């Protein structure tokens, strides 16, 4: 378990190339382990992180992820926030629809990762950028 | 930076075992390598071992479906072996069911599936390659 | 507070019989237990007996569809047996048709469905698993 | 047949955890039996109660159900009222659409349970809460 990702610490990953998506996955996985997420919850979290980090890179034109262990009373969880200064999303309802893609993906990144986590918040301004914040709580 | 995943040969089949966390570029290279090798080697089967793979996201999921579809067009059958239960659960929740992809629990069972498919070849080729 | 539903084994299949009114947490645990057991036991079939189940709402209905999809990715076939007529009528009115889920009237018939599927395995696996 | 659920009595179930949804189902079932609902009508009522109790918990952040046997001339039926002080529903038409969900459900709870009962009334104020009242009459 990496000490950098202990409770309270924030891990930052700059997302500018395909390899950074791998780094984002690995950082999220370390935090999930430290936080005591079950194997299934780890898998769900890391999968969601992979989808969102790829979106930051491909659709957002690059950006970053900040991830940390968070608490809510006695519950512990992993939070990850993705931010970019890309084109933003004009029609969010459409973008959140299963199977809808403006590009060549499967259109499951946003809708699917929302199903995989406990909290999913998206904030986007056309022409300014997009931020997506997720939390997965340990059960 | 991209890693090249080795493609091994067992009998008439090709075997790929994904052992590291691949970036998207490496995933695409693997897809192309496999298609090329199916033709070069005249392989009739492809086994993709994902027992070491901790997560399958929509990109890798699509790669698996695409390899299955491409191989089928090149007259080879694909079997994905060793999917972890947590990966299967997550894929379904993500919204991917990999309808067109054959699976088996272990490498042995996967090779058996290909053997059986080979025995029945003259009857007709499997078709209906669906991406999802 | 959650109850754990026992997963039994009959031959190559797993059998789950839902006997109590499960809360949502227990339903999710069952889903995960089954996925894990399919892999551990190398099961090729899953039978879910709901003959004692008085209502199936959208949460449990989705669980049945999800188990079928997960099992399929792990190379096992799922059959839901014993659905009461009132439950079937209600499900349709609710808007759930469980398209991707195989059903049989009795446990015996369900096991027979799995046996037959097993005999035909090499030819081709059922595909197109849709969640609804 | 439980005496608590005899005609005229009101059963109240506080809905604050997953187990309370089970209790709500069981209370509705007892009332349906007392009231003489057919097996199919019992099943429809209890299924609707299950959907609405889960909505009270998940979307309404908790609340309660009041259920009782009601009369209308000679007809007898089971009434159930679900109340929460949650976020309310901003676009009710959308929420009542088959398959629409703001979360991770199937989006059949409201639209489907409306089809299962004889009377379905929903009252919601954004920021204040939601109340849903249903009745199933014995035939
Ligand atoms: N960070 C982002 N910046 C701009 N647009 C985005 C971003 N993330 C998602 N989108 C838009 O939402 C659509 C749906 O995203 P998603 O569900 O992840 O599917 P996919 O990535 O396969 O297209 C994308 O095709 C894109 O148009
Ligand atoms: N009690 C409630 N309080 C706030 N919002 C609600 C409530 N009940 C339903 N909703 C909203 O209506 C949507 C549709 O509800 P429903 O048809 O039951 O589907 P689901 O629960 O699967 O999302 C919900 O996703 C939610 O946004």
């Amino acid at each position: 378990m990496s000490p950098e990702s202990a409770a309270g610490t924030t891990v930052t990953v700059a997302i500018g190339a395909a390899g950074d998506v791998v780094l984002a996955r690995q950082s999220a996985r370390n935090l999930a382990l430290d936080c005591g997420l079950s194997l299934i919850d780890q898998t769900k979290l890391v999968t969601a992180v992979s989808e969102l980090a790829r979106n930051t890179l491909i659709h957002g034109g690059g950006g970053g992820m900040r991830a940390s262990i968070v608490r809510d009373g006695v519950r512990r969880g992993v939070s990850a926030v993705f931010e970019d200064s890309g084109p933003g999303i004009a029609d969010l309802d459409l973008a959140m629809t299963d199977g809808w893609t403006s590009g060549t993906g499967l259109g499951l990144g946003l809708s699917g990762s929302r199903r995989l986590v406990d909290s999913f918040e998206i904030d986007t301004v056309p022409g300014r950028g997009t931020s997506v914040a997720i939390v997965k709580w340990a059960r | 930076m991209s890693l090249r995943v080795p493609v091994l040969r067992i009998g008439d089949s090709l075997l790929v075992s994904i052992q590291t966390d691949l970036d998207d570029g490496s995933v695409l290279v693997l897809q192309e390598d496999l298609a090329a090798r199916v033709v070069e080697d005249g392989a009739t089967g492809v086994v993709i071992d994902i027992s070491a793979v901790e997560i399958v996201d929509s990109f890798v999921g699509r790669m698996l479906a695409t390899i299955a579809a491409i191989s089928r067009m090149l007259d080879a059958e694909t079997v994905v072996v060793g999917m972890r239960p947590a990966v299967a659960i997550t894929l379904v929740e993500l919204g991917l069911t990999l309808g067109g992809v054959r699976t088996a629990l272990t490498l042995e069972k996967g090779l058996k599936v290909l053997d059986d498919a080979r025995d029945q070849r003259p009857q007709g080729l499997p078709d209906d390659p669906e991406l999802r």
Side-chain angles (χ1 to χ4, degrees), chain A, chain B:
Chain A
M1 316 237 164
S2 50
E4 319 84 65
S5 53
T9 325
T10 297
V11 182
T12 305
V13 178
I15 302 176
D20 300 329
V21 176
V22 177
L23 283 182
R25 287 199 287 262
Q26 286 166 351
S27 310
R29 189 168 161 277
N30 286 338
L31 288 171
L33 286 171
D34 287 356
C35 176
L37 253 59
S38 72
L39 181 60
I40 285 179
D41 287 340
Q42 273 173 46
T43 308
K44 289 181 179 178
L45 171 73
V46 178
T47 304
V49 163
S50 185
E51 297 292 341
L52 297 172
R54 183 178 297 109
N55 280 355
T56 300
L57 179 67
I58 303 293
H59 303 300
M65 173 185 87
R66 273 178 301 116
S68 58
I69 293 184
V70 289
R71 286 164 198 282
D72 171 13
V74 289
R75 279 202 304 186
R76 276 157 59 95
V78 176
S79 142
V81 181
F82 301 82
E83 263 163 350
D84 64 63
S85 320
I89 302 175
D91 187 338
L92 195 54
D93 279 347
L94 193 60
M96 291 295 305
T97 306
D98 260 351
W100 189 85
T101 178
S102 65
T104 59
L106 291 179
L108 293 173
L110 292 178
S111 53
S113 56
R114 180 170 65 167
R115 284 188 290 267
L116 294 174
V117 297
D118 297 313
S119 157
F120 183 100
E121 278 166 27
I122 183 162
D123 200 1
T124 182
V125 182
R128 297 284 303 279
T130 300
S131 119
V132 182
I134 59 173
V135 182
K136 186 83 188 168
W137 296 106
R139 284 182 287 182
Chain B
M1 280 284 59
S2 289
L3 282 160
R4 208 164 192 118
V5 182
V7 178
L8 311 176
R9 185 164 178 157
I10 306 187
D12 286 338
S13 294
L14 301 176
L15 168 64
V16 155
S17 181
I18 301 176
Q19 299 289 341
T20 48
D21 191 341
L22 299 176
D23 68 34
D24 292 0
S26 309
V27 168
L28 294 178
V29 167
L30 172 58
Q31 195 170 296
E32 291 164 13
D33 283 355
L34 266 174
R37 284 288 300 273
V38 165
V39 173
E40 273 169 38
D41 295 32
T44 57
V46 174
V47 181
I48 305 175
D49 169 21
I50 60 167
S51 56
V53 172
E54 284 172 353
I55 71 138
V56 172
D57 62 13
S58 65
F59 194 84
V60 171
R62 183 164 62 157
M63 180 267 288
L64 297 175
T66 304
I67 288 177
I70 293 173
S71 308
R72 218 177 270 122
M73 279 192 285
L74 299 173
D75 200 19
E77 189 68 22
T78 300
V79 185
V80 171
V81 304
M83 186 186 289
R84 299 179 179 194
V87 168
I89 290 173
T90 301
L91 267 176
V92 171
E93 210 152 309
L94 188 64
L96 258 180
T97 49
L98 299 186
V101 180
R102 272 179 128 165
T103 54
L105 287 184
T106 61
L107 180 55
E108 291 70 36
K109 287 185 181 170
L111 289 169
K112 176 87 169 47
V113 166
L114 293 180
D115 270 349
D116 294 349
R118 218 168 271 132
D119 291 346
Q120 296 172 354
R121 295 206 119 210
Q123 269 102 303
L125 298 174
D127 45 14
D128 182 29
E130 261 329 307
L131 263 191
R132 274 176 56 199

